[in-house]
Amino acid sequence: MKTRTIIGLEIHVQLKTQSKMFCGCRVAFEAPSNGCVCPVCLGHPGALPVINRRAFELSVLVGLALNCKIAPFTKWDRKSYFYPDMPKNYQISQYDFPLASEGSFDVVVAGAARPVRIRRAHLEEDAGKNVHDAGAGTHVDLNRAGTPLLEIVTEPDLVSGDHAYAFCVELHRLVTYLGVSEGNMKKGQMRFEPNINVAIEADGVEYRTPIAEIKNLNSFRAVRDAIAFESQRQIAAWTDDHGYVFGKAPNENRGWNADRGVTEFQREKEAAHDYRYFPDPDLLPIRVTPEALANFRDQLPELPQARRSRLQSQYGLLEDAANTIVSDRATADLFDAMVVAGASPELGAKQFVNTWQALAKDQGLTIVALGVSGERMAKLAILVEKGGVNKTAATTLAEVMLTRPEDPESLAKELGLGLERDAGATEAWVDEVLAANEKAVADAVANPKKAKAALGFLRGQVMKLSGGKADPKLVGELLTRRLEQLLQ
Ligand SMILES: [Zn+2]
């Protein structure tokens, strides 16, 4: 028996707009319940919707970034359903003319790029929220009703929980890079819903299990774990009962229970026609002219994947460093500013990741929130590069720079962190170490097998004696000269 998991994703991205999709109400969930509502989003009869231009523009940017075709003509449809959190009894969405379609997005898994086709992306409005208050019953909060949502649907090209995980992380990075969404998953600003089934090959016949759509995934890890669980569950269900196949057994919605690590049955899924889609008579279609489309293309920033490749090809950074630097746009911008200000990319990247990033992590901040400009970071990198301070001192300096505005060079002087360039002082350290370590000196001079190790040891002793202030290069030169003298 051979199995292959087939996964498609539906992703809802809450767009970062000031107002809702079809009315002027503020998008503000922290407001008191039902504090941001009006006749339009409350669904009062006769209230007329108006399209949020910004939401449409942001959606087109995402479509372009996902290499989609942007529809020259797109329209709005009503999706009918009855539920207390949607008082109009329909949701405005886009059915047969989505604003973007036929895209593709590369995701790197285990070092290899695996493209995922994007079927479509369309705009719709969010529903409100039912708040279940133990004892007080359930009430409805419509602050969220009418919030612009971009729904992105992939083709079933994802093959595993890990693949889906990588896709979700990369897509999240993309939308936050574009600035179209805050992307906070805990707040539901980005929701991932995988559709999963399994192709099972047994006795030369391929069977397909029914499709399950998984809900309640509020972290990337939940996406990965739920997929891994669900594909095993479906295989086991088919093994128990060969009638559990697509078309015979119903497709279903299942919810992820993170505490138990299982998916749980919610309900059987309706077919699309149950929603009775039809064009919304209150809203005009949108036409995107070639000029408008060219204008949108000009607005696209350098995207994360392109940026990562540029850091690797232009600056010769390793994949890990490039990944860390490109983790979000502000971080990547800061690094670029550091290089523009004169830091060498290689040393700059090391310091950026090992010193600054580590410092930020210690403080529970992002590197940008440390408040040190790229220019000042560059000054520290340049100081290390020209031998003004060693790496240990640079770490200390970085910490001091968080609270002091002076240049790292003057701080190094003030704090006595600069390297000792005076040959006299260094010579004295070298002599002291040579006198105290006869065995190592003998090895360095006369034992070819141990000479290299002995020299390293002696150099380490001098650095230690100097309290890290000796210039390693000068120490090396002086040591070699002294040992050569001993040979003669
Ligand atoms: Zn409203």
Side-chain angles (χ1 to χ4, degrees):
M1 178 169 116
K2 259 170 59 185
T3 65
R4 178 168 55 87
T5 306
I6 304 164
I7 307 154
L9 280 172
E10 274 179 37
I11 307 105
H12 285 92
V13 181
Q14 192 194 333
L15 299 174
K16 206 162 88 181
T17 54
Q18 306 249 315
S19 57
K20 294 187 181 180
M21 188 63 228
F22 298 109
C23 63
C25 290
R26 265 193 318 133
V27 175
F29 304 122
E30 68 288 357
S33 287
N34 297 309
C36 296
V37 291
C38 73
V40 174
C41 52
L42 287 176
H44 288 188
L48 290 174
V50 176
I51 301 163
N52 183 330
R53 185 189 184 103
R54 187 69 188 142
F56 186 81
E57 290 169 349
L58 295 176
S59 301
V60 171
L61 289 181
V62 176
L64 287 174
L66 292 173
N67 304 300
C68 288
K69 288 183 184 158
I70 303 301
F73 172 91
T74 182
K75 69 177 182 63
W76 308 93
D77 301 280
R78 291 185 177 183
K79 179 182 183 181
S80 306
Y81 66 90
F82 175 79
Y83 210 60
D85 60 9
M86 180 57 81
K88 292 201 296 273
N89 290 343
Y90 62 83
Q91 176 192 30
I92 305 174
S93 183
Q94 300 192 291
Y95 184 53
D96 46 359
F97 289 94
L99 66 92
S101 59
E102 293 177 65
S104 167
F105 191 51
D106 277 359
V107 177
V108 177
V109 195
R114 277 174 174 274
V116 175
R117 288 169 299 156
I118 306 295
R119 183 181 294 170
R120 57 185 282 157
H122 68 257
L123 255 175
E124 59 187 33
E125 55 178 340
D126 206 349
K129 247 184 193 167
N130 296 322
V131 184
H132 306 287
D133 236 342
T138 295
H139 67 270
V140 182
D141 179 2
L142 293 169
N143 280 352
R144 198 179 68 179
T147 301
L149 284 183
L150 178 67
E151 179 173 332
I152 301 166
V153 184
T154 77
E155 295 292 345
D157 289 348
L158 296 133
V159 297
S160 67
D162 286 335
H163 193 196
Y165 179 94
F167 179 91
C168 295
V169 168
E170 200 63 43
L171 184 68
H172 178 268
R173 185 173 293 147
L174 183 77
V175 298
T176 50
Y177 244 77
L178 289 170
V180 304
S181 174
E182 301 276 353
N184 186 325
M185 290 179 71
K186 294 277 177 289
K187 289 187 185 166
Q189 292 170 340
M190 205 163 174
R191 289 169 247 163
F192 295 95
E193 284 162 6
N195 279 278
I196 306 168
N197 70 339
V198 185
I200 301 170
E201 203 186 306
D203 308 322
V205 183
E206 189 185 271
Y207 303 88
R208 295 238 171 153
T209 55
I211 298 170
E213 180 172 327
I214 315 293
K215 310 268 189 184
N216 309 346
L217 300 172
N218 58 9
S219 71
F220 299 127
R221 218 176 72 192
V223 172
R224 184 184 60 198
D225 294 351
I227 289 172
F229 173 86
E230 178 61 18
S231 62
Q232 289 310 310
R233 188 198 68 79
Q234 291 186 10
I235 293 166
W238 179 84
T239 309
D240 281 354
D241 169 12
H242 284 17
Y244 180 76
V245 289
F246 184 81
K248 280 195 197 165
N251 292 340
E252 55 190 63
N253 280 356
R254 302 181 68 87
W256 174 241
N257 182 327
D259 293 334
R260 294 181 51 221
V262 299
T263 63
E264 293 164 341
F265 176 80
Q266 289 180 331
R267 61 181 173 85
E268 289 177 8
K269 232 171 126 69
E270 312 90 342
H273 60 255
D274 288 352
Y275 290 124
R276 292 192 59 244
Y277 281 100
F278 70 95
D280 192 308
D282 292 340
L283 289 162
L284 288 171
I286 293 179
R287 286 176 202 280
V288 180
T289 62
E291 296 76 42
L293 193 58
N295 191 17
F296 280 124
R297 274 189 207 284
D298 289 344
Q299 287 177 43
L300 274 187
E302 183 182 33
L303 298 175
Q305 289 171 345
R307 198 160 193 173
R308 202 154 39 215
S309 325
R310 175 170 65 80
L311 291 182
Q312 287 177 258
S313 60
Q314 186 182 344
Y315 297 153
L317 298 192
L318 295 176
E319 195 183 334
D320 272 356
N323 269 331
T324 309
I325 291 167
V326 178
S327 60
D328 65 86
R329 189 168 169 184
T331 301
D333 286 348
L334 184 62
F335 176 74
D336 271 342
M338 183 186 187
V339 174
V340 167
S344 87
E346 200 186 340
L347 180 89
K350 271 189 195 146
Q351 212 167 72
F352 195 81
V353 174
N354 299 336
T355 306
W356 294 110
Q357 196 94 288
L359 211 54
K361 211 171 161 189
D362 279 351
Q363 307 209 2
L365 295 172
T366 64
I367 190 165
V368 175
L370 288 176
V372 180
S373 68
E375 207 184 343
R376 299 191 71 221
M377 287 184 176
K379 281 183 176 160
L380 183 62
I382 293 166
L383 188 62
V384 174
E385 201 153 37
K386 67 179 191 188
V389 294
N390 62 27
K391 282 176 195 152
T392 321
T395 308
T396 312
L397 275 175
E399 230 175 312
V400 177
M401 285 167 71
L402 296 183
T403 49
R404 304 263 312 256
E406 295 94 327
D407 273 358
E409 192 155 6
S410 47
L411 285 173
K413 261 191 207 126
E414 180 191 324
L415 301 170
L417 290 168
L419 289 182
E420 185 55 66
R421 309 310 276 282
D422 174 28
T426 311
E427 248 167 68
W429 288 322
V430 168
D431 287 341
E432 195 179 329
V433 166
L434 291 181
N437 295 281
E438 273 176 42
K439 173 79 173 65
V441 172
D443 282 343
V445 176
N447 187 342
K449 274 189 190 164
K450 291 188 176 171
K452 207 172 160 196
L455 186 63
F457 170 76
L458 291 169
R459 194 201 314 250
Q461 290 301 304
V462 177
M463 291 307 294
K464 198 169 154 193
L465 186 63
S466 77
K469 278 164 113 189
D471 176 358
K473 210 171 142 211
L474 183 61
V475 172
E477 282 166 16
L478 287 174
L479 266 178
T480 315
R481 200 184 316 154
R482 276 281 195 276
L483 293 171
E484 274 167 6
Q485 285 166 357
L486 287 175
L487 256 181
Q488 287 158 6

